[in-house]
Amino acid sequence: DTGVSQDPRHKITKRGQNVTFRCDPISEHNRLYWYRQTLGQGPEFLTYFQNEAQLEKSRLLSDRFSAERPKGSFSTLEIQRTEQGDSAMYLCASTEQSGYGYTFGSGTRLTVV
Amino acid sequence: AQKITQTQPGMFVQEKEAVTLDCTYDTSDQSYGLFWYKQPSSGEMIFLIYQGSYDEQNATEGRYSLNFQKARKSANLVISASQLGDSAMYFCAMRELNQGGKLIFGQGTELSVKP
């Protein structure tokens, strides 16, 4: 297992389009987290899953955002009707439930033009 | 509400010298964990060091040590013998154990190591 993978690394989209990002966590990690990081800021929590269950969503996660983790494996984050304010780095992290060893992916950098 | 504050937007240090990056936190919980991450320009978050709220000794990991002062709610990162490859953004983060494990991050400190 080579760590947490995120795809794509970069995405440029036109305003109003839908985009979907994928995260493949470390296989034995049952918790998966999504964060958003804007330029010059620290990452902000968006949502997390324990296995396939989405247990918490931040108020940052508007109704244009949806995340899934079917079968408790990979996860997808979809943004509908993108806005310029959605431009950011989207980071995924995974960990074991009882652990504190979070492993982050390299992120997907979204630019909305 | 839980909060992490990093008051140094940018820091400079001479190669081979030590540097301290400041972090203060706010929480009403008794059980929490404190983390430091390094983020190079490539974007990935690299785990450096962890301190649990009940740990009596300061954490150390190679050239990294965490100066944990619980009463003052501070968790400063000390990097000894700075190297050019240490130039990056550094983030302090906190996890409250009854909050689902999510991390709350500070604003970050950009460290530049001068040759």
Side-chain angles (χ1 to χ4, degrees), chain A residues 31 33 35 37 56 99 102, chain B residues 35 39 91 95 100-103:
Chain A
R31 283 194 173 178
Y33 300 82
Y35 292 86
Q37 185 179 23
E56 185 176 350
Y102 298 83
Chain B
F35 301 75
Q39 188 179 43
F91 291 97
R95 180 192 71 169
K102 66 185 179 192
L103 296 176

Side-chain angles (χ1 to χ4, degrees), chain B residues 71-84:
Chain B
R72 297 179 60 183
K73 293 189 174 179
S74 74
N76 298 339
L77 176 71
V78 180
I79 305 175
S80 63
S82 297
Q83 302 172 355
L84 295 178

Side-chain angles (χ1 to χ4, degrees), chain A residues 9 31 33 35 37 40-45 48 56 89 91 97-102 104-106 109, chain B residues 35 37 39 41-47 50 89 91 95 97 99-108:
Chain A
R9 289 296 309 277
R31 283 194 173 178
Y33 300 82
Y35 292 86
Q37 185 179 23
Q41 300 296 316
E44 296 174 294
F45 169 77
Y48 92 95
E56 185 176 350
M89 173 79 88
L91 291 164
Q97 180 175 346
S98 58
Y100 57 85
Y102 298 83
F104 280 82
S106 298
R109 187 173 296 281
Chain B
F35 301 75
Y37 285 88
Q39 188 179 43
S41 56
S42 52
E44 74 271 30
M45 300 288 281
I46 301 169
F47 168 76
Y50 169 82
M89 285 292 292
F91 291 97
R95 180 192 71 169
L97 296 184
Q99 293 292 327
K102 66 185 179 192
L103 296 176
I104 305 299
F105 287 85
Q107 308 93 311

Side-chain angles (χ1 to χ4, degrees), chain A residues 34-61:
Chain A
W34 284 99
Y35 292 86
R36 182 175 70 185
Q37 185 179 23
T38 53
L39 200 61
Q41 300 296 316
E44 296 174 294
F45 169 77
L46 291 178
T47 187
Y48 92 95
F49 294 84
Q50 183 165 308
N51 301 313
E52 66 275 11
Q54 187 174 19
L55 296 186
E56 185 176 350
K57 292 192 289 187
S58 162
R59 54 185 168 83
L60 293 175
L61 211 66

Side-chain angles (χ1 to χ4, degrees), chain A residues 3 7 16 18 22 24 26 31 38 46 50 53 56 58 64 69-70 72 77 81 86 93 108:
Chain A
D7 184 69
N18 299 343
R22 177 178 170 127
D24 286 88
I26 292 175
R31 283 194 173 178
T38 53
L46 291 178
Q50 183 165 308
E56 185 176 350
S58 162
R64 296 185 297 106
R69 193 183 182 196
L77 178 67
R81 306 180 302 281
D86 297 332
T108 293

Side-chain angles (χ1 to χ4, degrees), chain B residues 44-101:
Chain B
E44 74 271 30
M45 300 288 281
I46 301 169
F47 168 76
L48 296 178
I49 196 165
Y50 169 82
Q51 179 86 40
S53 58
Y54 293 117
D55 295 341
E56 294 186 351
Q57 293 198 332
N58 288 342
T60 61
E61 290 283 352
R63 294 186 300 111
Y64 306 107
S65 61
L66 199 152
N67 184 0
F68 181 46
Q69 298 188 44
K70 195 170 182 177
R72 297 179 60 183
K73 293 189 174 179
S74 74
N76 298 339
L77 176 71
V78 180
I79 305 175
S80 63
S82 297
Q83 302 172 355
L84 295 178
D86 293 335
S87 294
M89 285 292 292
Y90 288 80
F91 291 97
C92 180
M94 176 174 66
R95 180 192 71 169
E96 291 183 345
L97 296 184
N98 62 353
Q99 293 292 327

